[in-house]
Amino acid sequence: MSFMDFLNFHIVPGVVLGSIYAVGAIGITLVFGILRFSHFAHGDMATLGAFVALALVTAGLTPWAALPIAMAAVAVVAIVVDKLFYDYLKARPKIMTVMASLGVALMLRAVVQVVFGVDPRTYASGIVRPDEYFGILLRDRELYTLAAVVAIVIGLTLFLRHSRWGKAMRAMSDNPDLARLSGVDNRKVTMLTWAIVGALCAASGFMLGINNELHSMMGWQVLLPMFAAAILGGVGRVEGAVLGGLVVGIAEELSIFILPAQYKAATAFALLLLILLVRPRGLLNGKVL
Amino acid sequence: MKKRTVAAVVGAMLGAAVVAAPAHAQDVKLGLMAAISGPIAALAPPMAAASKLAVAHVNEQGGILKGGKLEVVLGDSACNPQNATDVATKAVNIDRVIAVVGPACSGAVLASANSVTIPAGVLMITPSGTSPEITKLKDKDLVYRTLPSDDYQGRALARTLKARGIAKVAVAYLNNDYGKGLAESFKSEFEANGGTIAGYSGHEEGKASYRSELATLARGGADTLVIFDYGDGTGLSILRQSLENNFFKTFVGADGMKSEGLVKAIGAANLGGFFVSAPVGEASASLDNFNKAFKAAGENIDAVFATTSYDAAFLAALAIEKAGGDKTKLAESLRAVASAPGEPILAGEWAKAKKLIAEGKDIDYKGAGGDHEFDAAGDVPGNYAFFKVSGTGYESIADMK
Amino acid sequence: MDLLGLANYAVFMAILIGIYALLALGLNIQWGFTGLFNAGIAGFFAVGAYTSAILTSLPATGRLGGYELPLVVGWLAAMAAAALIAWPIGKICLRFRSDYLAIATIGIAEIIRLVIRTEGWLTGGVRGVTGVPRPFGELDYMPSQIAYLAIVATLVLIAYLLVERQVKAPWGRMMRAIRDNELAAAAMGKQVEARRLQAFVFGSALMGLAGALFVHFNRSITPEAIDPMIATFLIWIMLILGGSGNNRGAILGAAVIWIIWSVSELLTDRLPTEVAVQAKYARVFIIGLTLQLVLRFRPEGILPERQAGSPPHR
């Protein structure tokens, strides 16, 4: 096996998959950090985003044009879901919100199944052969995926670091009581967080769909790798989620060299357990909640 | 929510269940257990539609027994034993079905047969349960299937590929009883006939990327990939990712891969090197009848297990008619109507069959998906054909031995 | 209406409710009394089921088995195996906070499921284990079910009494103390970690027994039975609805949720055919919605935890 083959057939798919995981993991880590619970509905929200984009594509838009609209739509859905199902549980132990998010996951998935059915769908039919860039084989959609992920990460990092609202989010992540005392409106920050998380879910679902196929279980099946990525990188750190996502994605693709391919899904869990045992703060020293 | 409220809600539901369906004295109910939710949810709707088409044919052409309606009781087995046994119990005890078509998944068949239909003396015909474990059931002759056990198709495919000059293949199979069963029987027959398996890899469904394992399989040096998976599921991903990365030149699948959705998603122009096998009946006229009727009903004739689902329901109806509605005579009646000798009955020929049964004559149903000559265990051997992609569907190019 | 048929259906439902009740009782020990968020119930259920199946079933080619040991051995071994697996998992994972414990246990249940599906030499892989004996299986349909129900009901009763006794005893008070205020309990010299592990293992053993009862009822086990929806999340919803921290609540929750799950299907059957298939997807929606409603309006469940003295403060 030549080095280029190794790169193209094992590393590149891992990187593409990893960036998709990264986008989802960023959302999860934001919820972990700012709202302090594990959002089990994250995967199914991504599914919803992917299918909303599919509906727009069926109505005539090109896929990448449908993406921003889908992101906006799911942002709104996320805010509504929070108001209906999570908000009243604020004062209670966080574990109840986790359970509520599980219920929301089931409901979102059922809606997608009823509206779109259970057949696998695609944004575009046909196959796409890759182009060659100095020996590396990449398809347009993969290039755009990577570009989108980079844009999201840079945009979000700048936002969190320099804008007023970003700083408010970080303040709430560090210490909500102190943040409130300093004049941060926690409710507005929560709404903003959900809007961003919803948009990120939609983006990760869309990218998953455009690189593979869409089906109603797609989000649930990537939920645990995304959790693994978020925790691996360090909870509450956006860069950590990106690093975690890439590690999990590449590890999954490389795992077939050590284990039979049936165990691919176990790679993410194994990494998760490992990091929880060895270094619970994650690779980039996040919080330990 | 007070305790009384809960009790009231539960009581109301039970009450509703009790009064739910009014039954006409002459009507006969047929249980239809489909895997509507669960891992093969995409395959279920056409299978249910095909079975319902058979029931429609019965009702349009004279009805069941003394002109009563054959009614379908649809249940979701969800492809797991918990739901399957629940659905079977309801069908057998509340709806009083005497025959069941389904379930679709072998695990569900084993569980519901063992705990419900065999003890209750109810006939069960599964259109898609392929596990060899079903053969081993101690079933008082009540469990049948209208498709061959994985063993047959895998072996037939192996022989066909060898005969076409393909001596070296890689195998990618879905890790469920369908894919694994086919892969194992294919491998043993292919190697026994002198072929080489240059790569053999199982995968679970639902992963986003299979490129790594496909790359590893391709490195084995084979030009042909044999895919034992569903074209409406992970099989589509595998085929697409292989095509996009130029991993193999020729692709071969079993009946699970014979999907119209796959042709639509990938494009017939890209599928010149894609072939599938599928069980077919000796009387191709029967298949034509089914295809015409199924298409007229707005369904996709290439749907996986559609033909076997139709046959299972039609055979159940024939057995009920022959047995005069007597549960205890169902098994022998089924064998009588399905096996040679007898006047051949094709798919859709209910009126003709009804008349012959009334005259006491022997009939032999030749189905859309096979002749269904049940052996002692209720299994059928298979007749297969080899298909290539043509237009938006498939076209048979050879019979498989 | 056919009363005999309805009675048979009720007996069948009662058997499944009994099996789910055992699972819910096990979860209650772990979550209700000790505050451990075990989201990997399916894994322990699977271990118990497969252990009993492998030990008691007929021989089969390509797979370990054929020991044909007596039922009681199988069931005891199921409990022991589930407990044995729970021990290292508990030792490693129980120190995590509840969210992480949930994620870790989901992961472990998934790994167990993948191992079961892949290692055919041990578990029959995707083909599963068949030829499992069933007590009173030779009887006719209805008597056989009633006999099995008697066995399940007896075991549920024994489990219930055992757990109730433990809960009312000092052990129970100590577990609640650890759950509600770990630091204070540790300061008072209670061995927090060891007690938590005890509860985890004990609960898992009950889950293993439930698995064994399930296998023998169906005379077979295949990996689809370990699907997380039907073997983990449904039980969580049962416990939350019934009342976590209350053993009778656990059993009641199992009954109510299973009845809703099963009877709602009868109602969807009466819908016109085009909608009937869609309606099956909606069942999951109903269950998710039920969870939300319970959390919103009655988070302590139908039968809340009985506190001797101070009001509940969870």
Side-chain angles (χ1 to χ4, degrees):
Chain A
M1 174 178 53
S2 74
F3 178 68
M4 285 322 289
D5 273 356
F6 178 69
L7 207 58
N8 280 322
F9 299 131
H10 297 280
I11 300 290
V12 166
V15 168
V16 173
L17 186 62
S19 1
I20 297 174
Y21 285 163
V23 174
I26 295 175
I28 289 180
T29 212
L30 284 176
V31 177
F32 253 139
I34 300 173
L35 303 168
R36 290 177 166 72
F37 74 96
S38 322
H39 186 218
F40 278 138
H42 204 84
D44 291 280
M45 224 177 246
T47 309
L48 183 68
F51 275 91
V52 166
L54 180 70
L56 292 168
V57 166
T58 320
L61 287 168
T62 62
W64 287 95
L67 175 60
I69 306 178
M71 285 171 79
V74 181
V76 170
V77 168
I79 294 176
V80 169
V81 161
D82 175 56
K83 283 267 170 284
L84 283 177
F85 300 117
Y86 304 147
D87 195 50
Y88 68 94
L89 290 168
K90 255 198 322 245
R92 304 182 132 267
K94 285 299 170 187
I95 207 71
M96 315 219 66
T97 324
V98 175
M99 290 186 204
S101 71
L102 182 62
V104 169
L106 296 177
M107 286 162 60
L108 287 174
R109 194 183 315 162
V111 166
V112 168
Q113 285 178 334
V114 170
V115 173
F116 294 97
V118 290
D119 291 325
R121 311 279 288 271
T122 47
Y123 288 119
S125 76
I127 59 171
V128 178
R129 296 234 155 79
D131 304 311
E132 197 174 321
Y133 302 89
F134 303 106
I136 298 191
L137 299 167
L138 278 176
R139 286 167 200 84
D140 277 350
R141 62 178 191 235
E142 292 170 338
L143 219 49
Y144 293 153
T145 302
L146 292 172
V149 172
V150 168
I152 288 175
V153 171
I154 293 181
L156 206 56
T157 316
L158 286 174
F159 176 76
L160 286 173
R161 208 164 284 178
H162 297 296
S163 86
R164 210 183 60 135
W165 282 107
K167 289 189 192 155
M169 284 169 74
R170 280 191 297 138
M172 200 169 145
S173 166
D174 286 335
N175 192 329
D177 293 322
L178 207 54
R180 206 176 317 132
L181 282 176
S182 320
V184 169
D185 186 347
N186 282 5
R187 277 172 321 152
K188 289 222 177 74
V189 172
T190 306
M191 262 179 68
L192 179 62
T193 307
W194 280 113
I196 295 179
V197 168
L200 288 172
C201 279
S204 61
F206 172 82
M207 291 192 287
L208 195 58
I210 201 162
N211 281 296
N212 303 288
E213 288 84 29
L214 292 107
H215 56 96
S216 58
M217 298 292 286
M218 60 194 280
W220 178 254
Q221 281 160 350
V222 295
L223 180 69
L224 286 157
M226 286 180 180
F227 264 102
I231 296 175
L232 185 68
V235 159
R237 311 249 341 215
V238 170
E239 321 80 69
V242 176
L243 180 63
L246 288 171
V247 171
V248 172
I250 295 176
E252 268 192 7
E253 290 295 297
L254 293 182
S255 71
I256 53 118
F257 288 120
I258 324 175
L259 292 170
Q262 288 96 321
Y263 286 119
K264 226 177 179 184
T267 322
F269 306 136
L271 279 174
L272 175 68
L273 289 172
L274 196 62
I275 207 74
L276 282 177
L277 287 171
V278 165
R279 199 181 150 102
R281 297 189 79 96
L283 292 172
L284 293 187
N285 253 346
K287 299 200 259 198
V288 180
L289 290 171
Chain B
M1 229 192 322
K2 299 263 192 313
K3 274 188 256 195
R4 270 175 299 167
T5 323
V6 174
V9 166
V10 171
M13 292 188 99
L14 279 171
V18 167
V19 301
H24 194 251
Q26 307 244 48
D27 293 347
V28 176
K29 291 196 182 169
L30 180 67
L32 181 54
M33 295 173 63
I36 297 175
S37 54
I40 58 168
L43 305 173
M47 289 171 69
S51 297
K52 287 194 187 150
L53 181 66
V55 171
H57 284 167
V58 168
N59 288 328
E60 287 161 7
Q61 298 179 35
I64 194 101
L65 298 177
K66 296 196 177 46
K69 261 181 46 137
L70 184 62
E71 245 182 77
V72 163
V73 175
L74 179 68
D76 178 14
S77 68
C79 203
N80 64 48
Q82 290 92 332
N83 282 315
T85 48
D86 185 56
V87 165
T89 305
K90 285 188 289 217
V92 165
N93 289 294
I94 299 193
D95 291 294
R96 289 296 183 191
V97 304
I98 56 174
V100 169
V101 170
C105 294
S106 302
V109 170
L110 292 170
S112 49
N114 274 324
S115 39
V116 186
T117 61
I118 297 175
V122 166
L123 186 69
M124 171 179 277
I125 308 180
T126 169
S128 58
T130 52
S131 167
E133 299 290 330
I134 295 178
T135 309
K136 297 202 286 192
L137 275 174
K138 290 193 185 31
D139 64 0
K140 301 190 204 158
D141 209 28
L142 285 167
V143 178
Y144 296 83
R145 47 182 158 193
T146 49
L147 86 171
S149 143
D150 274 342
D151 219 44
Y152 289 102
Q153 190 173 178
R155 292 185 190 282
L157 195 56
R159 289 191 292 269
T160 304
L161 289 186
K162 271 322 274 11
R164 293 175 76 86
I166 300 174
K168 193 172 181 191
V169 299
V171 176
Y173 64 92
L174 177 68
N175 196 30
N176 74 353
D177 55 299
Y178 172 77
K180 188 125 199 274
L182 279 170
E184 284 178 343
S185 59
F186 175 86
K187 179 167 193 262
S188 94
E189 184 82 5
F190 198 67
E191 286 178 333
N193 279 354
T196 320
I197 305 268
Y200 186 78
S201 166
H203 56 270
E204 291 279 340
E205 58 134 22
K207 295 313 295 171
S209 166
Y210 295 98
R211 273 184 282 183
S212 285
E213 48 263 64
L214 287 172
T216 311
L217 280 176
R219 270 195 289 277
D223 276 332
T224 303
L225 177 67
V226 182
I227 309 176
F228 292 123
D229 202 330
Y230 301 116
D232 287 320
T234 323
L236 175 57
S237 305
I238 298 258
L239 185 56
R240 177 204 294 275
Q241 290 175 7
S242 306
L243 281 167
E244 287 182 338
N245 292 291
N246 282 328
F247 282 143
F248 298 94
K249 293 200 189 50
T250 313
F251 301 89
V252 178
D255 55 352
M257 291 296 287
K258 185 167 172 276
S259 146
E260 192 189 66
L262 182 147
V263 177
K264 210 160 72 171
I266 296 189
N270 297 313
L271 290 171
F274 178 54
F275 303 94
V276 290
S277 67
V280 288
E282 194 185 277
S284 63
S286 194
L287 182 60
D288 291 337
N289 284 359
F290 169 75
N291 283 344
K292 217 166 74 180
F294 207 42
K295 211 179 213 157
E299 297 281 345
N300 160 26
I301 60 172
D302 286 316
V304 186
F305 304 133
T307 52
T308 54
S309 299
Y310 180 92
D311 288 345
F314 205 80
L315 273 170
L318 285 172
I320 294 173
E321 184 79 15
K322 179 96 182 163
D326 182 350
K327 198 166 80 171
T328 56
K329 296 215 188 78
L330 272 179
E332 61 177 272
S333 304
L334 178 65
R335 287 185 179 281
V337 299
S339 318
E343 177 76 22
I345 299 285
L346 303 181
E349 294 183 342
W350 177 254
K352 179 172 162 197
K354 198 172 160 80
K355 188 160 97 57
L356 289 168
I357 290 175
E359 291 166 7
K361 298 225 178 70
D362 197 7
I363 59 172
D364 179 13
Y365 178 65
K366 303 236 175 269
D371 286 335
H372 308 309
E373 303 291 321
F374 295 115
D375 70 5
D379 280 341
V380 293
N383 262 338
Y384 301 94
F386 206 54
F387 293 79
K388 70 166 196 225
V389 174
S390 153
T392 54
Y394 297 85
E395 188 188 305
S396 166
I397 54 176
D399 279 325
M400 286 168 52
K401 301 276 167 276
Chain C
M1 185 65 242
D2 195 339
L3 280 174
L4 204 62
L6 203 60
N8 230 0
Y9 175 44
V11 170
F12 170 81
M13 271 212 293
I15 293 175
L16 277 196
I17 289 173
I19 293 175
Y20 273 107
L22 273 177
L23 288 165
L25 279 172
L27 184 62
N28 200 21
I29 299 174
Q30 295 171 342
W31 166 248
F33 297 123
T34 322
L36 304 171
F37 193 160
N38 178 8
I41 303 173
F44 302 110
F45 177 76
V47 167
Y50 271 90
T51 305
S52 190
I54 293 172
L55 289 177
T56 57
S57 60
L58 301 168
T61 50
R63 165 173 70 75
L64 211 64
Y67 307 113
E68 296 186 66
L69 292 170
L71 273 174
V72 179
V73 173
W75 293 3
L76 287 172
M79 294 178 73
L84 269 168
I85 284 246
W87 199 86
I89 294 174
K91 260 214 128 19
I92 298 175
C93 296
L94 286 180
R95 68 184 93 147
F96 301 147
R97 57 163 294 208
S98 32
D99 287 23
Y100 285 9
L101 178 61
I103 299 170
T105 45
I106 291 181
I108 288 172
E110 266 300 285
I111 292 178
I112 292 178
R113 195 180 70 95
L114 287 173
V115 170
I116 285 176
R117 287 175 73 90
T118 313
E119 303 304 320
W121 58 271
L122 176 66
T123 61
V126 288
R127 210 172 270 189
V129 177
T130 58
V132 179
R134 171 163 154 175
F136 303 111
E138 303 312 314
L139 297 176
D140 278 346
Y141 184 30
M142 192 149 187
S144 171
Q145 276 204 151
I146 294 178
Y148 206 82
L149 177 60
I151 297 177
V152 171
T154 314
L155 286 171
V156 172
L157 187 64
I158 296 177
Y160 170 75
L161 290 172
L162 257 174
V163 180
E164 271 291 289
R165 210 189 58 154
Q166 281 295 88
V167 162
K168 292 202 178 91
W171 186 87
R173 284 198 287 279
M174 177 173 53
M175 298 313 290
R176 278 197 296 282
I178 291 176
R179 179 196 69 193
D180 292 335
N181 198 333
E182 187 180 324
L183 288 172
M188 286 200 287
K190 301 298 174 194
Q191 297 163 292
V192 171
E193 243 186 72
R195 297 300 174 194
R196 279 219 186 116
L197 192 58
Q198 248 175 28
F200 193 69
V201 168
F202 187 16
S204 302
L206 279 183
M207 294 175 183
L209 180 63
L213 287 175
F214 184 73
V215 173
H216 290 273
F217 183 58
N218 288 318
R219 299 184 218 240
S220 64
I221 182 86
T222 49
E224 303 100 353
I226 319 167
D227 167 64
M229 179 67 218
I230 195 98
T232 297
F233 297 126
L234 208 57
I235 298 149
W236 265 102
I237 298 173
M238 288 171 175
L239 186 62
I240 294 176
L241 175 74
S244 58
N246 184 317
N247 288 318
R248 269 185 281 185
I251 300 176
L252 179 65
V256 172
I257 290 289
W258 183 258
I259 290 176
I260 294 180
W261 182 256
S262 181
V263 177
S264 66
E265 219 217 344
L266 279 172
L267 300 173
T268 58
D269 272 349
R270 314 301 165 195
L271 296 170
T273 50
E274 306 78 50
V275 198
V277 170
Q278 250 91 325
K280 308 291 182 195
Y281 307 142
R283 261 206 303 182
V284 173
F285 185 88
I286 293 174
I287 290 288
L289 189 61
T290 308
L291 178 59
Q292 302 301 348
L293 292 173
V294 171
L295 285 174
R296 161 83 82 171
F297 296 114
R298 184 100 176 171
E300 63 275 17
I302 303 177
L303 296 178
E305 181 175 346
R306 282 161 300 161
Q307 293 284 3
S310 54
H313 97 274
R314 294 191 40 228

